[in-house]
Amino acid sequence: MAAQATFKSIKSLVPLFDRVLVQRFKAETKTATGIFLPTSATNSPLPEATVIAVGPGALDRDGKLVPTSVKAGDRVLLPGWGGSPIKVGDEEYHLFKDSEILAKIQE
């Protein structure tokens, strides 16, 4: 697992190349009827996230810039593994390569 980095502000973090900074959706800790769920039921990360920032893209074999396929504000589907965790205050974010993102969620 990658080392966890800590930053004072998420605005100070600008992804490079084809990296995408996301914040995973938080699991509900209480049901609609007010029952609190145990930590073991909410421990696994949810596969959905919001894109916070993206890098400019990566160069292809011909040296042309290929932009990332998502933009800030997009909702995406992530794999259950991977990404580099980044802590900003009490909030946790993750950096993924653009190619690791499974899908963009259309609304």
Side-chain angles (χ1 to χ4, degrees), residues 40-90:
S40 59
T42 60
N43 245 0
S44 61
L46 293 177
E48 292 182 41
T50 300
V51 176
I52 304 300
V54 298
L59 299 178
D60 65 10
R61 292 181 188 173
D62 300 324
K64 294 180 184 170
L65 185 68
V66 178
T68 56
S69 57
V70 295
K71 64 184 182 318
D74 284 348
R75 286 182 54 202
V76 294
L77 186 65
L78 300 172
W81 46 264
S84 299
I86 297 164
K87 194 103 167 148
V88 180
D90 291 335

Side-chain angles (χ1 to χ4, degrees), residues 4-63:
Q4 203 171 46
T6 304
F7 297 90
K8 293 182 193 256
S9 166
I10 197 63
K11 292 179 182 180
S12 66
L13 186 66
V14 179
L16 298 177
F17 304 110
D18 61 343
R19 300 286 193 262
V20 178
L21 180 67
V22 299
Q23 185 174 29
R24 288 185 186 267
F25 291 158
K26 291 186 171 69
E28 292 294 325
T29 56
K30 188 165 70 167
T31 66
T33 57
I35 297 171
F36 285 95
L37 299 170
T39 341
S40 59
T42 60
N43 245 0
S44 61
L46 293 177
E48 292 182 41
T50 300
V51 176
I52 304 300
V54 298
L59 299 178
D60 65 10
R61 292 181 188 173
D62 300 324

